[in-house]
Every structure is written in C-alpha cells, then in structure tokens.
Amino acid sequence: MMNQFNFKTMAVQESGSSEKPLVIFLHGGGAAGWMWQPVADLLGDSFRCWMPDLPGQGQSREAGRFSIRGAAQMVIDLVRTQAPGGQAHLVGLSEGAQVLVEMLSLDPGCIRSALVSSALLRPLPGMGWLASEGLLKAAYVSSVAPFKNWDAYIRLNMKSAAGIPDQWFEPFKAEFQSLTAQSFADMMLENQRYRLPANLENAHLPVLVLAGSREYAA
C-alpha cells in the first residue's frame, strides 16, 4: 500500500513495513518518485521504501528551485530526523545519483549503503551550450513549450529520452506539462555542471556504482 507524507515542503511516497530496513530512492530529472513504484512493489515484503519528489519537481515544487546541493541537504535532513537511527540505504538514478554522490560527500554517516546508477560527473564533449541558462531557456521555448499538449510528442520523448514504459504516460505527461523555462534550466544546468566532489574518501560504506552499456562514454 502506497502512502504519502510531507517533510517540510518535500513530498515523499512510502510503502512497505515500518519494521523493515529503510531504502530511499532518488529519481532522475524530468520524473518524480512515482518512477520507483514498480521497484517498491517488488521490495515491499522485505523493505520499507521512501520515494521523495526532489525539490522543484513532482509534488515538491513548493520546496524551491532544484539544485543538487540543496536536494542532497534536504534528503540528509529527512534521513537524520525521520529515519530509524538517522540512517538509510540510498538508491539514486541519473540526477538522483548525482544527489546521492553529493550526500556521500556531505554526510556519509547517514547512509548505510549506496547504489549510484548513471551519475554524470564529467563534461559531455560538444555539449558546452548546456551550461548556459539563456540557451537552455531558449531551448525550452522552442522544444518544450510548443508541445505541452501534444501527446504524441510527449510519448516519443518519454520513450526515446527516458525509456519509460507506456503505463507511466500520465504521470510523465503531468511532469512534462509542469515544466517552466526556469525549472527546465535549473535541472539541466545542475546536471551538466556537476563534478566529482571532495571528501568522498570519508565515505566508509558499501557503494555500488553502475553505468549502462548504451550510455554516454562520459
């Protein structure tokens, strides 16, 4: 059974038993906590699962503009104040994986183990324009805003860019339609600018780092 609670202004979906080990799942950019529901359904008998909507996305838009550092600190605060013993297992995908890497740098003590999947930590060759807020806002105006009500385009974007199955079209569409020029630029800027942080040598805990064979070489 899926429930929701709010931590400050961040929405968190919850499933599983409160007596089981806690796993927190951090979603990729352009999605929200709902993307982890199939995984939570599979793990529900063995784990307690929390799936926050990161700040500026999903139902956490009132939590302020998205930044990797800000999101990491908010999830740390969530773990330290709400998780049993102030610790949890963490799983992050893409931009959520970058948030998790930042958490490993800022406060590794709140993390029991980490699964970091597809964290971009190096620049993408030829993609320097993605570090310009003005150009990103222009890209939003030309390639996102005109298609907000075009289901075929949204579905194509969902499949080709994010690999999300058809059954999640409605929540993906809602997220796509809620994007603004500023939120789009924030998400892309943070993703492209993020680099390997300092202090990771202080993270003495099990960490599994994954990258897909079809992903960018970076």
Side-chain angles (χ1 to χ4, degrees):
M1 181 177 179
M2 196 75 65
N3 300 307
Q4 179 175 310
F5 68 92
N6 290 325
F7 175 72
K8 299 181 179 178
T9 50
M10 184 169 67
V12 183
Q13 299 291 326
E14 178 180 36
S15 68
S17 171
S18 61
E19 299 178 355
K20 300 294 185 179
L22 175 62
V23 184
I24 299 177
F25 296 90
L26 306 179
H27 62 82
W34 52 261
M35 66 162 284
W36 291 109
Q37 186 174 330
V39 178
D41 291 343
L42 289 171
L43 298 179
D45 292 338
S46 303
F47 293 93
R48 181 184 186 186
C49 300
W50 286 358
M51 295 148 284
D53 290 356
L54 295 174
Q57 301 174 66
Q59 298 183 58
S60 297
R61 296 196 177 277
E62 298 303 315
R65 290 170 57 179
F66 176 77
S67 72
I68 289 172
R69 171 63 68 93
Q73 190 60 62
M74 184 165 282
V75 178
I76 288 170
D77 293 345
L78 170 69
V79 175
R80 286 301 194 186
T81 62
Q82 305 298 316
Q87 289 186 314
H89 302 282
L90 270 291
V91 176
L93 173 69
S94 190
E95 203 154 50
Q98 292 173 309
V99 172
L100 178 48
V101 171
E102 187 70 11
M103 290 178 65
L104 287 164
S105 170
L106 293 175
D107 188 3
C110 75
I111 305 172
R112 295 188 183 277
S113 69
L115 193 159
V116 180
S117 179
S118 311
L120 183 63
L121 302 169
R122 297 175 177 174
L124 291 176
M127 302 296 281
W129 68 273
L130 290 174
S132 165
E133 182 172 345
L135 287 176
L136 284 167
K137 287 182 175 180
Y140 168 88
V141 171
S142 64
S143 63
V144 178
F147 305 104
K148 281 194 169 186
N149 296 310
W150 190 0
D151 283 5
Y153 178 87
I154 297 172
R155 197 179 299 275
L156 177 64
N157 183 273
M158 177 183 77
K159 288 185 175 182
S160 62
I164 295 175
D166 280 339
Q167 71 199 76
W168 301 102
F169 175 70
E170 290 302 328
F172 182 86
K173 177 181 176 180
E175 190 66 23
F176 186 87
Q177 292 181 323
S178 67
L179 278 174
T180 66
Q182 188 64 63
S183 63
F184 176 80
D186 290 342
M187 185 172 60
M188 296 298 292
L189 281 170
E190 288 293 303
N191 175 256
Q192 295 299 315
R193 289 176 174 175
Y194 192 65
R195 299 292 180 263
L196 199 67
N199 303 320
L200 288 177
E201 68 276 6
N202 297 323
H204 301 290
L205 59 119
V207 178
L208 177 62
V209 181
L210 304 173
S213 62
R214 298 182 181 180
E215 296 195 63
Y216 297 113

